[in-house]
C-alpha cells in the first residue's frame, strides 16, 4: 500500500470541485457585493475587517451585508415590476421570512417596497414588533392553529394562504364568528416537479402541502381538492377568495418550472372563473430561486426569470382571453442567502488517510492507494448550519483572516458537535498552512442557517451582525450561557 501526499486534484474530491487557480480569490457569485480583501489580505465586508468583527462580536458569527440585502430585494422588485408592467401593472414581492427573519430585516423589506411572507405565529410576532402594516403580510402553514389564525385576523393580514379543505372551513368559520371576512389564497400543488433535492421539492402530490389539482382527490366524484376548495371558498360568507398560490420547490435555477406552474394555475383559474362566475384577482407563484453555494452553481439574474415568467403569463392570458391577475412571488433564499457568510475560528486540525481503489485516480496495479483528507474543525457546526446534514447541501469556504501562498489541500470543514455527520463544508481546497486561530468564512449562509439553528450540545446560537458603510450592528445578538440556562428549571 502506498501513501499519496500530493495536494492538488485529490481523487477524494467530487468531480465538480476544481482546484482553484488562486486560493485567495473570492469566487463570484457566492459572495455579497461589498466583500473583498484589504491591503493586509483580510476579508472585509461593508468596510469592516473580519478580525475587527471577531474582536467585537466573537465567533461563530453570521456576517450580513445590509446594502447587498437591500440591493437583492430591490432587484427582485424592480425586475419583476418591469417585466409585468404591461401585464398586471407590476408584481408584489413577498420576502419569505422563514429563510431569515428579525425585526431589522422586516424594516429593510418594507423600506425597499416588498411585502412579507410568514409561516407561524412566531414569525407574525416578529412582523408585529417591526411594525409592518398587516395588509403587507401573508401567513402560510399546513397546520395553522386557531390562535395563529386569530392573530392573523387581529393584525388585518393581507392574505392567509390556505393549505387544506379542513383549514378552509376553519378559517371561514373563525372569520365569520368575528363578523369579518378572511382574505384567502388557496395553495395548490400543480404537479410540477422541481429539479432539486427531494426533501425540499414541494410540488409532489405525495407530500403534506397544498390542495391537489388532480381529479378525484376528494370525496366528491370528479372534483379535484383544488376545485372543491374554490367552490367552498366562494360560497363561504367568512371568506374573501383572493386567488391561487403555488410553490414548486427550492434552489431552482431554470425558469421553465416556474413558467409551467404559472401556465397551469392560469388555466385552472380561468376554468374556475367561468364555472363559478367568480373573479380571482391574485396569483402567487411562490419562491424557490436558486443561489450559488459553490463555484459551480450558476444562478440566473432576477430579470431573466422575470422575463421568462412574464412571457408565459402574457401568452397564456391572451390565449385564454382573461385579464391577468395581479402576480406575486415569494423569494427568500435568493434575497438573503448570498448576503451573509459565517465567520468561524479554526481549532483542531487532523489528517486522515482514506483508502480508495486504484481505479479512482491512483495507480492501476490493483492495490489500494491512500489519500490524505484534512479535517479542519471550527467553533460551530451543525447547530448553526443544519443544511449539510439535512439536505447533503454543499458549501464552500475560504481563509478569511489572511492570504496564503501555500499549496491547496483537500479539506473537510467540520463542527464541534458529537456527530460524525457534523460537516459544514464537505469538500473544499484550503491552503496547506491553515492553522488553529485562523478565521474561515463560509459564504451563502444567509438563508435557512440561522433560521434552522439549534442548541445541540448546549452551544449558544451565534449572533447576526449587519455591516454597512463601515459600521457593524448586531441585528440578532448571540446567545449567552445565561440564555442557555434560563429555561432549565433547576434541581
Ligand atoms: C410557500 C413558500 N414560499 C416561499 C418559500 C421560499 O423559498 P426560497 O427561500 O427557496 O425562495 C418557501 C420555502 O420553503 C415556501 O414554502
Amino acid at each position: 500500500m502506498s501513501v499519496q501526499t500530493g495536494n492538488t486534484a485529490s481523487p477524494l474530491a467530487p468531480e465538480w470541485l476544481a482546484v482553484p487557480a488562486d486560493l485567495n480569490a473570492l469566487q463570484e457569485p457566492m459572495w455579497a457585493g461589498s466583500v473583498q480583501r484589504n491591503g493586509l489580505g483580510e476579508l472585509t465586508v461593508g468596510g469592516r475587517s473580519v478580525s475587527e468583527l471577531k474582536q467585537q462580536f466573537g465567533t461563530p458569527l453570521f456576517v450580513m451585508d445590509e446594502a447587498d440585502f437591500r440591493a437583492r430585494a430591490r432587484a427582485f422588485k424592480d425586475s419583476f415590476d418591469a417585466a409585468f408592467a404591461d401585464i398586471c401593472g407590476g408584481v408584489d414581492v413577498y420576502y419569505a421570512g422563514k429563510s431569515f427573519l428579525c425585526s431589522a430585516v422586516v424594516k429593510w423589506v418594507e423600506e425597499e417596497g416588498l411585502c412579507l411572507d410568514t409561516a407561524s405565529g412566531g414569525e407574525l410576532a416578529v412582523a408585529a414588533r417591526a411594525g409592518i402594516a398587516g395588509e403587507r403580510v401573508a401567513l402560510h402553514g399546513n397546520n395553522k392553529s386557531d390562535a395563529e389564525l386569530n392573530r392573523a385576523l387581529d393584525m388585518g393580514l393581507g392574505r392567509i394562504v390556505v393549505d387544506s379543505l379542513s383549514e378552509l372551513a376553519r378559517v371561514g368559520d373563525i372569520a365569520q364568528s368575528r363578523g369579518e371576512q378572511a382574505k384567502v389564497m388557496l395553495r395548490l400543488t400543480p404537479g410540477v416537479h422541481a429539479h432539486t433535492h427531494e426533501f425540499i421539492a414541494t410540488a409532489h402530490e405525495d407530500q403534506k402541502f397544498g390542495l391537489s389539482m388532480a381529479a378525484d382527490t376528494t370525496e366528491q366524484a370528479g372534483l379535484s381538492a383544488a376545485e372543491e376548495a374554490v367552490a367552498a371558498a366562494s360560497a363561504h360568507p367568512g371568506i374573501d377568495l383572493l386567488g391561487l398560490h403555488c410553490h414548486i420547490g427550492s434552489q431552482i435555477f431554470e425558469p421553465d418550472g416556474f413558467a409551467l406552474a404559472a401556465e397551469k394555475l392560469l388555466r385552472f383559474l380561468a376554468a374556475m372563473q367561468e364555472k363559478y362566475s367568480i373573479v380571482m384577482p391574485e396569483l402567487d407563484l411562490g419562491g424557490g430561486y436558486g443561489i450559488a453555494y459553490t463555484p459551480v452553481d450558476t444562478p440566473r439574474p432576477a430579470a431573466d426569470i422575470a422575463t421568462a415568467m412574464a412571457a408565459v403569463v402574457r401568452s397564456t392570458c391572451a390565449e385564454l382571453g382573461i385579464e391577468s391577475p395581479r402576480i406575486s412571488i415569494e423569494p427568500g433564499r435568493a434575497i438573503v442567502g448570498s448576503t451573509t457568510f459565517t465567520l468561524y475560528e479554526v481549532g483542531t486540525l487532523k489528517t486522515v488517510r482514506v483508502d480508495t481503489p486504484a481505479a479512482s485516480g491512483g495507480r492501476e496495479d490493483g492495490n489500494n492507494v491512500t489519500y490524505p483528507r484534512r479535517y479542519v474543525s471550527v467553533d460551530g457546526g451543525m447547530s448553526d448550519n443544519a443544511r449539510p446534514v439535512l439536505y447533503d447541501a454543499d458549501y464552500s469556504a475560504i481563509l478569511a483572516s489572511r492570504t496564503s501562498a501555500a499549496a491547496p489541500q483537500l479539506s473537510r470543514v467540520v463542527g464541534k458537535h458529537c456527530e460524525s455527520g457534523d460537516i459544514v463544508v464537505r469538500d473544499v481546497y484550503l491552503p496547506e498552512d491553515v492553522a488553529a486561530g485562523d478565521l474561515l468564512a463560509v459564504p451563502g449562509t444567509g438563508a435557512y442557517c440561522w433560521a434552522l439553528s439549534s442548541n445541540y450540545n448546549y452551544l449558544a446560537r451565534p449572533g447576526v451582525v449587519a455591516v454597512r458603510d463601515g459600521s457593524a450592528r448586531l441585528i440578532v445578538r448571540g446567545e449567552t450561557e445565561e440564555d442557555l440556562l434560563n429555561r432549565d428549571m433547576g434541581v
Side-chain angles (χ1 to χ4, degrees), residues 35-221:
V35 179
Q36 55 187 47
R37 285 200 190 268
N38 64 16
L40 300 171
E42 265 191 88
L43 281 202
T44 66
V45 54
R48 297 294 300 269
S49 72
V50 290
S51 59
E52 286 171 337
L53 295 171
K54 149 100 187 151
Q55 199 176 18
Q56 196 174 347
F57 305 106
T59 53
L61 181 68
F62 289 101
V63 183
M64 181 180 286
D65 180 339
E66 178 183 339
D68 193 71
F69 182 102
R70 289 176 179 272
R72 288 174 200 270
R74 266 199 313 277
F76 266 97
K77 178 73 180 136
D78 292 350
S79 41
F80 273 79
D81 265 350
F84 283 85
D86 64 314
I87 301 175
C88 55
V91 167
D92 298 313
V93 180
Y94 284 74
Y95 167 69
K98 68 202 77 181
S99 55
F100 174 73
L101 193 65
C102 68
S103 311
V105 157
V106 177
K107 197 81 198 144
W108 304 343
V109 160
E110 195 180 18
E111 285 171 1
E112 299 304 333
L114 278 68
C115 301
L116 179 68
D117 158 5
T118 64
S120 71
E123 290 183 5
L124 281 181
V126 179
R129 170 186 265 203
I132 188 170
E135 71 255 20
R136 290 176 70 174
V137 179
L139 177 65
H140 273 281
N142 66 302
N143 188 24
K144 304 174 192 76
S145 67
D146 287 1
E148 287 171 323
L149 291 171
N150 274 300
R151 183 172 213 158
L153 293 168
D154 288 345
M155 287 173 66
L157 247 54
R159 54 181 61 172
I160 297 173
V161 185
V162 165
D163 200 85
S164 64
L165 286 162
S166 60
E167 184 186 77
L168 182 66
R170 209 151 48 85
V171 174
D173 292 351
I174 290 174
Q176 193 180 3
S177 72
R178 296 167 55 117
E180 297 173 30
Q181 275 200 319
K183 292 179 184 152
V184 161
M185 307 277 287
L186 299 173
R187 177 168 178 170
L188 310 187
T189 50
V192 176
H193 295 217
H195 296 287
T196 183
H197 195 291
E198 181 159 20
F199 293 132
I200 49 176
T202 55
H204 302 266
E205 302 296 351
D206 189 10
Q207 45 101 356
K208 70 174 185 171
F209 292 112
L211 293 147
S212 175
M213 292 173 73
D216 289 321
T217 43
T218 70
E219 300 297 306
Q220 291 189 43

Side-chain angles (χ1 to χ4, degrees), residues 96 98-99 117 140 187 202 209 245 247 249-251 286-289 330-334 448:
K98 68 202 77 181
S99 55
D117 158 5
H140 273 281
R187 177 168 178 170
T202 55
F209 292 112
H245 170 282
H247 171 75
S250 284
Q251 188 58 1
Y289 313 105
E330 300 172 334
R333 177 192 325 259
Y448 307 107

